[in-house]
Amino acid sequence: MDTMELFCHEATEIEAAVTKDLEPEDQEDRLSNLPDDILTFILERLKLHEAARTSVLSRRWRHLFGFRSSIQIHIVDYAAQSNASVVEATKSMLADTIQSPISILSVKFLVLEESIDIIRCVDNAMANRQISALQFLMHGENFGVGCDEDSMVAYGRRFMRFFDAGPRAFAGLTCLYINCLKLGTDDLTHVLNACTKLERLSLDFCNWGIPSELQIRHPKLTRLKIINCIVERVELTYLPSLTRLFCEQSWISLPDLNPLSFGYVPQLSELILSNQDTEINKTFQLSEFLSNTMLRVLDLDFECGRIWIKPEASNLVRPRFENLKILCLRRIHEECDLDWIMFLMEAAPVLQRMYMQVSDYTVCKCDKSGHTDQCQVHHQEGPADWKHYNLVDISIRGYQVNEKFTRFIKLVVEAAVNLQLLLLLDNVPCKRCQFGPSKGFPRTVPEYEMIKKQVSQWRSPPSKIGFGV
């Protein structure tokens, strides 16, 4: 065991001793003679409320607690999720008498009147201490569950008062999560202009009204999440550092405009899109929809509804997919045809991994898509001798033994000449109602062997075929 392994092993043993109900004299014997750097190392690995309890072990621990370089004060760590406890903990940890630098300060709290003291306390600390990374995770009461519009308006106004009360705090923010707020589009623009260090932004259940157009500009933002927000259109106007976008929305059907527009996003490499239960009637041409992007990861969730992308000639989509290496297609309704997926493979010459999920929710009580008669997609097959040379791994969740799956898998296997792994997976239960029928998935070893034998007889079969749950 080398020096570092021995140190980590001893530190782990010490940490375990700290968290046990030992007699005070036993604790003193083991810990009182340790140097400050080891004690600090132990404290950094504990949650804040756990580390606070160690101050009763010895007088030597009391002064160390306030010198943590990583401070996480989250409401979920306190009994009964007390927001008042978060306020008091923030005041204690950022007391004026403590001047040590902080590598990361993360505070998760409710947008209640009392929380303005958190903002003021952090704002004061920004003037007196070095804080490298600052995170605010701001929730509506009850964490936004069942938020009505009046509450969202009240939370939005309160948030803007917090913003005005802490100019230094917001200027130093590196991560901002806001939930259940109703804001004006100008309000968000004003906040983003002030948050000059912001790198991560999450907008969850926020409301800008209909009609509305949300324009987002920021020079340093690298990750953006937009989840269940009420907004007609989002325009990513100027985001030169953005690398990852997660957008889960019920999109509004616009006759001439896409609900999401990509402006200047030269670094965007990972895109996750989900179209929730919606009455959208248009389909999107990826060659147009993904203009100005060069993706490495594309993840599309169809929410068991209609297929809202339109198959195109591979030469039209290829400029957007030249760098694409990972493709995920989630919750394709089981009544949908699968052959259309081939146009995505044809347009992505360096694609290495593909994951797809076919959801068997025809009798699931949570399936409210109502699009089973609209999910068919017509795709003109490519050249019969077309080959893909980089795809090595394909996983299909929700696989069933039927003609549709057999036909699609044969198309993929015979085209992907270097395929190494074909993984066929059972369906997963619905997260809401736990309904997860698997009427067509093979269950026995003889069934597995029969499928393997069939695939092995096709042209360029994969080197391994696996089954799983």
Side-chain angles (χ1 to χ4, degrees):
M1 184 178 293
D2 62 24
T3 304
M4 179 58 69
E5 289 176 335
L6 180 61
F7 174 76
C8 291
H9 177 70
E10 292 177 346
T12 301
E13 287 188 339
I14 295 169
E15 180 187 350
V18 170
T19 57
K20 290 182 179 178
D21 295 327
L22 300 176
E23 293 297 325
E25 58 268 25
D26 292 336
Q27 295 172 342
E28 186 70 21
D29 288 340
R30 293 195 65 179
L31 304 175
S32 60
N33 294 323
L34 290 173
D36 284 358
D37 57 346
I38 293 182
L39 295 178
T40 302
F41 174 79
I42 296 170
L43 288 173
E44 291 286 357
R45 299 179 68 191
L46 299 176
K47 291 184 178 180
L48 186 66
H49 66 288
E50 294 172 339
R53 298 180 189 140
T54 65
S55 61
V56 302
L57 297 177
S58 168
R59 292 179 181 178
R60 289 202 55 233
W61 289 76
R62 294 175 186 173
H63 77 283
L64 294 173
F65 175 65
F67 289 86
R68 288 170 62 100
S69 64
S70 176
I71 302 175
Q72 178 177 289
I73 310 172
H74 286 186
I75 187 172
V76 294
D77 293 331
Y78 292 86
Q81 296 188 351
S82 171
N83 194 67
S85 297
V86 176
V87 176
E88 292 307 312
T90 305
K91 290 180 180 179
S92 175
M93 292 303 300
L94 300 180
D96 291 341
T97 56
I98 303 174
Q99 301 294 325
S100 60
I102 299 173
S103 60
I104 180 169
L105 171 61
S106 177
V107 191
K108 183 175 185 177
F109 57 97
L110 302 182
V111 188
L112 302 180
E113 288 293 348
E114 64 195 12
S115 298
I116 197 168
D117 287 342
I118 294 174
I119 304 299
R120 289 170 177 161
C121 185
V122 174
D123 191 71
N124 182 61
M126 293 295 293
N128 301 313
R129 300 177 67 174
Q130 178 185 344
I131 302 178
S132 301
L134 174 61
Q135 301 179 357
F136 281 164
L137 295 88
M138 307 172 70
H139 290 260
E141 199 167 8
N142 299 322
F143 292 89
V145 177
C147 237
D148 57 41
E149 185 166 356
D150 289 343
S151 297
M152 296 176 77
V153 170
Y155 295 142
R157 290 173 179 169
R158 196 172 294 153
F159 170 80
M160 293 308 296
R161 289 204 301 274
F162 290 0
F163 173 74
D164 292 334
R168 288 173 298 207
F170 279 88
L173 272 182
T174 54
C175 174
L176 175 63
Y177 171 96
I178 55 176
N179 162 264
C180 203
L181 309 180
K182 184 165 186 178
L183 299 169
T185 54
D186 290 341
D187 291 336
L188 184 65
T189 299
H190 188 38
V191 170
L192 291 180
N193 287 341
C195 297
T196 55
K197 295 184 178 180
L198 195 64
E199 297 176 359
R200 299 188 178 194
L201 173 65
S202 293
L203 308 171
D204 186 8
F205 280 97
C206 293
N207 187 344
W208 282 272
I210 301 295
S212 61
E213 181 176 291
L214 192 62
Q215 295 189 355
I216 301 180
R217 302 174 58 93
H218 199 281
K220 292 189 176 181
L221 200 65
T222 61
R223 296 196 172 196
L224 173 62
K225 280 189 178 183
I226 305 173
I227 306 173
N228 299 316
C229 292
I230 300 176
V231 62
E232 189 171 41
R233 188 167 186 264
V234 177
E235 184 175 342
L236 309 180
T237 308
Y238 179 78
L239 295 168
S241 303
L242 187 69
T243 60
R244 187 178 192 269
L245 171 65
F246 181 100
C247 186
E248 182 178 292
Q249 287 288 107
S250 293
W251 291 345
I252 306 299
S253 180
L254 300 173
D256 301 318
L257 297 173
N258 291 327
L260 180 63
S261 171
F262 298 91
Y264 187 67
V265 287
Q267 301 298 321
L268 183 63
S269 62
E270 185 174 355
L271 177 60
I272 304 169
L273 291 178
S274 177
N275 178 16
Q276 295 184 329
D277 186 16
T278 180
E279 296 181 358
I280 192 166
N281 293 316
K282 69 184 296 184
T283 54
F284 302 104
Q285 291 182 291
L286 294 180
S287 59
E288 174 190 342
F289 184 58
L290 298 179
S291 60
N292 302 324
T293 66
M294 290 287 285
L295 302 173
R296 292 172 61 88
V297 178
L298 178 62
D299 190 323
L300 304 178
D301 190 338
F302 298 99
E303 296 268 357
C304 298
R306 64 179 294 147
I307 304 301
W308 36 263
I309 60 174
K310 182 179 180 180
E312 302 177 73
S314 59
N315 64 310
L316 297 178
V317 188
R318 189 171 294 120
R320 314 288 172 242
F321 282 9
E322 282 184 352
N323 296 334
L324 192 68
K325 292 190 175 181
I326 299 175
L327 174 65
C328 299
L329 305 170
R330 303 183 191 274
R331 288 189 283 184
I332 302 169
H333 198 287
E334 72 157 3
E335 294 188 8
C336 292
D337 184 44
L338 301 176
D339 291 1
W340 62 271
I341 296 172
M342 296 300 293
F343 98 92
L344 297 171
M345 286 180 54
E346 293 170 11
V350 298
L351 185 68
Q352 296 177 355
R353 299 177 58 193
M354 184 165 71
Y355 169 87
M356 52 182 286
Q357 176 190 13
V358 179
S359 294
D360 183 10
Y361 290 158
T362 52
V363 286
C364 170
K365 62 185 179 183
C366 292
D367 177 24
K368 301 176 182 178
S369 60
H371 295 302
T372 57
D373 59 339
Q374 303 178 39
C375 65
Q376 301 304 324
V377 180
H378 302 288
H379 168 53
Q380 184 175 356
E381 293 185 19
D385 59 347
W386 173 78
K387 297 290 183 291
H388 197 291
Y389 296 97
N390 290 292
L391 185 64
V392 296
D393 183 341
I394 179 170
S395 301
I396 302 177
R397 181 166 292 283
Y399 169 76
Q400 298 183 41
V401 181
N402 60 36
E403 182 180 351
K404 176 176 68 178
F405 278 94
T406 300
R407 170 180 165 78
F408 173 72
I409 293 173
K410 185 177 182 181
L411 286 174
V412 173
V413 166
E414 294 193 342
V417 294
N418 294 315
L419 192 66
Q420 297 177 13
L421 174 63
L422 172 62
L423 188 59
L424 305 177
L425 304 169
D426 197 0
N427 217 330
V428 291
C430 172
K431 292 181 179 179
R432 292 183 285 259
C433 72
Q434 296 302 308
F435 182 84
S438 303
K439 57 190 178 185
F441 189 78
R443 301 291 177 190
T444 65
V445 173
E447 289 178 310
Y448 296 160
E449 294 302 322
M450 182 179 65
I451 295 170
K452 289 180 179 179
K453 181 178 179 181
Q454 181 184 35
V455 175
S456 66
Q457 294 173 350
W458 297 338
R459 185 176 57 202
S460 63
S463 53
K464 182 178 179 180
I465 303 173
F467 299 85
V469 294

